[in-house]
Amino acid sequence: MNLANKIREIQDFPKEGINFKDITTLLKDKEAFKYMVDALSEQLKGLDVDIVAGPESRGFLVGAPVAYKIGAGFVPVRKPNKLPGETLRHEYELEYGMDALEIHKDAIKPGQKVAIVDDLLATGGTMLATAKLIEALGGEVVSMNFLIELVFLNGRNKLEPYNIKTLIAYDE
């Protein structure tokens, strides 16, 4: 199945010059959604993943069903002040300022194998912050899996030497 055909592109959203890849059209298509979950799950075969981590917010939509499919737990990685328990925070730079992500301190046990699953690899900042949180808790990031990669933003370079897999690549 060609998943790229299931993604709607919105010109000039959220600001002029951005061609937004809207995955809601894929998610509402039951065959495409199942195909995406199956394809992302297949990429994790043989890695003995204990936990799938999904960064806020579309990582929840993509990562949670993958965790279910492969028989792993799911851990949300959230924006600050969204998790109720004791958290660990990682701040990181964006092109236009700073941001931060948090994870529960008891979310990952030392030695657990973790796959990070998200909808989009762009500049790599969110993914790198997520990986740093997991590693700070003693987890091992065994894979980073994405529905979409915006190749022209070179996010993959920021994430070396992690194991990165994508289903759809946009070159421009």
Side-chain angles (χ1 to χ4, degrees), residues 28-73:
K28 74 177 184 177
D29 180 318
K30 64 184 178 183
E31 283 95 21
F33 183 57
K34 182 177 184 325
Y35 184 90
M36 176 198 71
V37 171
D38 289 347
L40 288 167
S41 300
E42 185 66 27
Q43 292 175 341
L44 298 172
K45 212 173 204 177
L47 295 179
D48 298 319
V49 174
D50 299 304
I51 299 287
V52 171
E56 188 159 333
S57 66
R58 290 180 302 270
F60 304 169
L61 299 172
V62 178
V66 169
Y68 175 80
K69 174 84 177 179
I70 67 170

Side-chain angles (χ1 to χ4, degrees), residues 53-56 58-59 77 90 92 94 101 115-135 141 143-146 148 155-156 158-159 162-165:
E56 188 159 333
R58 290 180 302 270
V77 179
H90 184 84
Y92 60 102
L94 298 170
L101 289 173
I116 305 170
V117 178
D118 202 359
D119 71 318
L120 180 73
L121 171 57
T123 62
T126 299
M127 264 315 111
L128 187 58
T130 301
K132 296 297 181 196
L133 286 168
I134 291 163
E135 292 165 349
V141 177
S143 190
M144 292 180 174
N145 302 71
F146 304 92
I148 299 167
R156 189 178 282 263
K158 190 179 281 184
L159 301 174
Y162 294 105
N163 175 29
I164 300 167
K165 306 255 187 225

Side-chain angles (χ1 to χ4, degrees), residues 63-156:
V66 169
Y68 175 80
K69 174 84 177 179
I70 67 170
F74 178 78
V75 170
V77 179
R78 307 271 337 243
K79 297 289 185 185
N81 305 312
K82 300 285 186 179
L83 293 170
E86 194 175 351
T87 61
L88 182 65
R89 178 186 291 225
H90 184 84
E91 293 184 2
Y92 60 102
E93 276 188 65
L94 298 170
E95 334 42 279
Y96 48 83
M98 297 294 291
D99 208 347
L101 289 173
E102 294 181 344
I103 191 170
H104 277 132
K105 283 188 175 179
D106 63 356
I108 309 286
K109 293 181 177 72
Q112 284 190 307
K113 293 181 178 181
V114 182
I116 305 170
V117 178
D118 202 359
D119 71 318
L120 180 73
L121 171 57
T123 62
T126 299
M127 264 315 111
L128 187 58
T130 301
K132 296 297 181 196
L133 286 168
I134 291 163
E135 292 165 349
L137 295 175
E140 176 190 356
V141 177
V142 296
S143 190
M144 292 180 174
N145 302 71
F146 304 92
L147 171 59
I148 299 167
E149 179 179 3
L150 303 179
V151 177
F152 57 95
L153 293 177
N154 300 312
R156 189 178 282 263

